[in-house]
Amino acid sequence: MQEDKELSRFDNIYRFTQIEELMEELTGWMIGFHERLDLEFDDFKNKSRMEEAISYIRGNYDKDLNMAVVSNHVSMNYSLFSYAFKQYTGKNFVNYLKEIRMGEARRLLAQTDLRVIEISQQVGYENEKHFMKTFKKECGVSPTEYRKNMQFR
C-alpha cells in the first residue's frame, strides 16, 4: 500500500541527523495524511452514503443486521463508516438500530394483536428474552405492560 511505503521512511528515525529534519518529514507526511482524510471524508459523498445507510437500515432492521453489513452495502471502510455514522446521526450504530427496532415494536404493540414473540421476530430479534430485556430497559416497562398501558389511552 502507498501508506506503508510512505511510513517506511520513518522506520529508522536515527537516519535523521537533526530533530528539525525529522520534524519537517513528519509535518509533510501529516499534511498529506490530512489531505487524504479530507478526500475520504468528502462531505457530500459521506452525507449521501449515510442517507443510503439509513435507508438500508430502515428497510432491513428486521433482519440480522450489523455495522459490517451496512458499511459494506455503502462501500465504506468499517472504521470510517462508524465515525461518519456517529457524526451524521449523533448515535452509534448499535443504538440507532435499537431505536428503530424499539420504535417499530412499540407501534406493533399498540396497533396489533400480534404476540410478543412474533413482534420480537418482526423487529429483528431472534431471541425473545433478549427482546423483552431490551424493551424493558429502553421503555421502562415490559412489552406486555406497554400494550396494556396503550389500551387505556
Side-chain angles (χ1 to χ4, degrees), residues 19 49 51 55 78 80-81 85 134:
I19 189 73
R49 282 180 173 173
E51 288 167 4
S55 175
Y78 182 89
L80 293 176
F81 176 82
F85 188 84
T134 303

Side-chain angles (χ1 to χ4, degrees), residues 79-91:
S79 298
L80 293 176
F81 176 82
S82 176
Y83 176 80
F85 188 84
K86 184 157 187 174
Q87 291 295 107
Y88 187 80
T89 64
K91 299 176 180 79

Side-chain angles (χ1 to χ4, degrees), residues 14-108:
Y14 299 108
R15 74 174 178 81
F16 298 99
T17 56
Q18 296 181 337
I19 189 73
E20 291 81 12
E21 190 181 345
L22 173 61
M23 293 302 291
E24 189 176 321
E25 282 287 320
L26 282 171
T27 302
W29 181 84
M30 292 288 286
I31 290 169
F33 181 72
H34 185 265
E35 288 170 354
R36 285 194 306 279
L37 277 179
D38 279 347
L39 286 174
E40 186 68 35
F41 280 103
D42 175 79
D43 200 35
F44 176 76
K45 182 170 67 172
N46 280 339
K47 281 183 181 175
S48 55
R49 282 180 173 173
M50 291 304 105
E51 288 167 4
E52 184 181 347
I54 286 168
S55 175
Y56 185 78
I57 292 165
R58 289 186 180 277
N60 294 282
Y61 66 87
D62 58 332
K63 297 174 181 64
D64 184 19
L65 200 59
N66 60 51
M67 196 166 64
V69 169
V70 179
S71 66
N72 284 337
H73 178 76
V74 297
S75 303
M76 252 180 122
N77 168 284
Y78 182 89
S79 298
L80 293 176
F81 176 82
S82 176
Y83 176 80
F85 188 84
K86 184 157 187 174
Q87 291 295 107
Y88 187 80
T89 64
K91 299 176 180 79
N92 69 34
F93 178 85
V94 171
N95 288 337
Y96 186 86
L97 178 59
K98 185 177 7 174
E99 190 175 280
I100 297 292
R101 287 174 168 172
M102 291 297 112
E104 181 62 9
R106 286 191 304 273
R107 187 190 72 75
L108 290 170

